[in-house]
Structures are given as C-alpha cells and as structure tokens.
Amino acid sequence: MSRRILIVASDLDEPSQRRTFDGLEAAGHEVRMVGFRRRNMPRAKGQSTELGRIGNGVTLSRLAALARGAGRLAHRREMRWADTIVVRNLDMALVALWAKKLTGTSAEMVYQCLDIHSVMTAPGMLGRLARWSERRVLRRSSLLVVSAPDFLTRYFMPRQRYTGPAQVQENRILWHGGSYPQRRVRPPRASGHPIVLGWVGTLRCPASFDLLLQVAAAGGPGIRLEFHGVIHHHQLPGATARIAAYPNVSLHGGYAYPDGLAQVYARLDCVWGQDMWQAGTNSDWLLPNRIYEAGYFGCPLLAIDGTATAARLAAEGTGLVLPLASAEAVLRAVGDTQALASARARLATLPAARFLQSPEGFAAGLLPPSRAPAQSKWARA
C-alpha cells in the first residue's frame, strides 16, 4: 500500500538521507523531505525544504536552531499531508514531536537510529536528560528501526528498557532504477605490486585516520592507501594537508551511490572496516556500510577484535580480525596473502542477497509492521 511519507532530516545533504528518500520513492511511496543543513557539508542535489542551518555538537546555538526549525515545521503543509513521519536520531525526533503537537496530526512516527551518539551513553546530567527525552520519543513512536542487532541488545533493551516494536534494517546496498553490476571478486595483487588498502564512505573517524597514516608511514612503498568519500573536516581538521605529506596515500573524494561503488572497490585489495571514534559503545556495536559494499565486490574487510564488525567477519570468514589497533597489526594482516585469498574465496560463495536489498525490502524495514508490505526475497535473506 502506497504511503505518504515525510522524512525529517538533520542534514539534507547527507548521502544516507538522500538514499532513504530515493529508496522509499522507488518502492512506490509518495515522499517529501524537510530538514536542516550543516554549515560544513557540500550541497546535495535533489528537492527538499530547508528548516534552517545547524552546527555540530550539543551547543546552545544548535538547540536554538532546532527550536526555530520545529516552529517552521509546524507551519509546513507536509505535516498534515503525511501519514508516516520518519526521523533519524533524537534531535529530529524531538523536532517532529513538537511539530506534531502544534499541528495535531495523527501521523505515525518511525524512530530510526543508525548510531548511538556518545551523549546517549554519557554518565552525567546531560546523558540522563538525553536518555529521558529518548524514552519519551520511544513511547510516542510506532516503530524503532536500528541498523545493527547490538543497538537493541546492548543499549535500547538494557539501558532504555525498550520492549516495543523494533526492526533491524542492516545497511545493505540499495539498488534501484535498473540492474545492479555483475559481481567481480578482486583477484590477488600480482607479486611485486603494493597492497592497496581502502578507507571508503564517511571519512570522519580521527582514530582511524591517524592509524591509517601510521600504516602508510610504516609500510612505505609496499602498501598504498586510497581514501574514497567526503571528509568531515570538523572531525578531521587539516586532513587534506596531512594526506598530501604521504606519497603512498591518495584522496579520491566522493563517488556516486550506488553506481560508483564498482569502480571504487575494483581498485582495492582490502578495506578498513572499523569505526573507532566512539570505542566501547557505538563503534563496537555498529555494522558499517562497508561490510556489504566491500563484501559484494569481493574485498576482505579489516576489523578489531571485540567489536560487532569483527564478530561478523569471524563468523562468516569474510575478513581479517586484528588483535588491536596498531600499524603493525594492520601491516601483518594485509601481508597475509593466504588469509586474504581465503576471505576472497568465501565472499565469492555468499549469495548477492547477503549484501543487497530491493527498494521494496528497504521500505518495508521503515514502516510499522501493521502496514508494511510483504518483504522481498532480498530483505529476507
């Protein structure tokens, strides 16, 4: 059944928000998007309605901008037009709830959580306030959608005591508007050529960035590092200049999703898959896009022991697990040609449905169960 869906976005230019819009629209739903823009991010193409500009972090100016945005949202026709409102993370949920109260709309709200922000697990007054606010959001939401099982079992269930409707929608590759490219498992690098290690996607983790530059320095001409994606300069100040200092590190910038993925991964022998910027909580619990993207194109992933990413790789035999985050451990792993070959061979045996999802399956994962269409074979795989 076609739905009228309003996406309330914290960053209208963020690629995954655009993918949400495209996926729901490709599944046959009427979709509109309103939200904010970040001052430090490049402008994306596509129609959307801006509610204002916000900065990063929990600041008084950001809170004021969110309050103004909620007032503007309450006067938008989209609030009365929608029967389902999809929000990501706590700040957008509070904006949407306030606008719902002002308008009196009975639209269902879906609370989507792809990351557990550090404030949500903080021990002080700010953390307690954030968790209290989120519990109010959860009580008023028709569905909680998370991207990794550990978000439920390590945070929402034990910390927030959540027992309501929930769905896990992993970050599988969303393809729409045509056929997807043929899988090509990356052959081993010829002897004498440097190993190419990639960092792909949202480039924002300072610990990963520092570690990979240490790998470049220690590995010398025997390894090349390629960075593909948009750098978040508020997290990685001076990143471009630091990269330029290493002859074996290249920055390739953004790429088209999903059509540019094949070209990106065709260049790589293996991929850095570990997020470390919120170690001990969010970074240990999440399952990154790279698991599915790199896996589909036959690139083994590297992750650190004790994380959900490493557990997935170990269970499926599709990557290499490092005992600790050090340049020596990374170089030892990428130099193990037999282990890399074994992981490539294992990736080749897994069905495409392990890495892909259809627009219909994607949309079903964002709708309350009572109104969701039947899931496709990709979503069930």
Side-chain angles (χ1 to χ4, degrees):
M1 181 176 65
S2 177
R3 307 273 292 170
R4 296 191 304 273
I5 302 172
L6 177 65
I7 301 170
V8 182
S10 61
D11 184 358
L12 293 171
D13 304 315
E14 206 273 322
S16 67
Q17 293 277 202
R18 305 303 314 183
R19 291 199 291 272
T20 298
F21 182 98
D22 293 342
L24 291 171
E25 191 174 57
H29 300 284
E30 296 181 69
V31 190
R32 299 179 186 178
M33 184 157 67
V34 301
F36 300 84
R37 282 201 157 88
R38 302 285 183 96
R39 297 184 181 94
N40 63 319
M41 296 300 291
R43 187 77 171 259
K45 296 179 180 179
Q47 291 186 350
S48 54
T49 300
E50 183 178 322
L51 297 175
R53 292 184 174 269
I54 57 174
N56 300 292
V58 182
T59 64
L60 290 177
S61 62
R62 178 185 171 92
L63 294 175
L66 291 172
R68 290 192 297 271
R72 294 182 183 123
L73 179 58
H75 289 89
R76 298 294 311 174
R77 287 176 296 177
E78 290 89 346
M79 282 298 296
R80 294 176 178 82
W81 165 86
D83 52 47
T84 303
I85 300 172
V86 175
V87 298
R88 182 179 301 178
N89 296 336
L90 178 59
D91 52 359
M92 292 303 104
L94 293 174
V95 166
L97 279 181
W98 181 240
K100 279 190 67 178
K101 184 177 180 62
L102 293 176
T103 58
T105 177
S106 60
E108 294 181 296
M109 192 170 82
V110 175
Y111 182 44
Q112 185 185 28
C113 186
L114 305 188
D115 286 292
I116 309 293
H117 193 280
S118 58
V119 71
M120 305 308 301
T121 55
M125 179 63 72
L126 185 58
R128 290 195 294 272
L129 177 60
R131 289 187 293 276
W132 175 83
S133 300
E134 185 176 60
R135 288 192 291 272
R136 292 177 65 85
V137 167
L138 290 168
R139 286 197 295 269
R140 291 160 175 78
S141 298
S142 299
L143 178 67
L144 168 65
V145 178
V146 298
S147 58
D150 278 13
F151 287 167
L152 289 176
T153 59
R154 302 289 296 276
Y155 173 73
F156 281 106
M157 293 167 64
R159 196 74 181 264
Q160 294 293 61
R161 299 289 191 267
Y162 182 71
T163 59
Q167 293 182 169
V168 178
Q169 185 187 61
E170 296 185 16
N171 293 313
R172 292 184 173 94
I173 306 171
L174 173 63
W175 241 291
H176 55 84
S179 61
Y180 48 88
Q182 181 181 355
R183 297 175 71 184
R184 291 185 176 87
V185 175
R186 182 77 174 83
R189 185 74 55 177
S191 178
H193 290 264
I195 289 287
V196 182
L197 171 62
W199 189 26
V200 183
T202 300
L203 309 182
R204 66 180 182 182
C205 175
S208 292
F209 184 60
D210 291 343
L211 174 61
L212 292 175
L213 293 186
Q214 292 169 21
V215 170
I223 189 168
R224 283 197 56 81
L225 277 79
E226 294 199 357
F227 297 168
H228 296 265
V230 176
I231 291 179
H232 286 221
H233 289 282
H234 65 286
Q235 292 288 342
L236 304 177
T240 304
R242 292 182 64 189
I243 290 170
Y246 293 85
N248 56 344
V249 182
S250 303
L251 175 61
H252 296 272
Y255 50 88
Y257 181 96
D259 303 297
L261 292 174
Q263 184 176 1
V264 167
Y265 285 102
R267 304 172 58 98
L268 308 176
D269 295 307
C270 47
V271 179
W272 179 250
Q274 188 66 62
D275 183 287
M276 299 194 297
W277 76 317
Q278 293 174 331
T281 54
N282 183 64
S283 295
D284 291 2
W285 303 336
L286 59 75
L287 294 174
N289 294 23
R290 291 178 285 274
I291 284 183
Y292 315 96
E293 296 172 3
Y296 182 75
F297 292 106
C299 286
L301 222 62
L302 274 62
I304 303 169
D305 192 26
T307 66
T309 304
R312 175 66 62 87
L313 299 182
E316 296 187 343
T318 54
L320 305 182
V321 176
L322 281 59
L324 72 168
S326 71
E328 294 76 12
V330 173
L331 289 170
R332 194 159 45 246
V334 300
D336 190 340
T337 55
Q338 184 174 354
L340 286 175
S342 176
R344 288 191 194 98
R346 174 60 180 154
L347 285 167
T349 68
L350 295 178
R354 181 67 192 82
F355 310 106
L356 303 178
Q357 62 184 339
S358 67
E360 294 75 20
F362 176 78
L366 279 179
L367 296 179
S370 59
R371 301 191 185 182
Q375 293 208 5
S376 73
K377 61 180 181 180
W378 283 4
R380 293 195 302 268

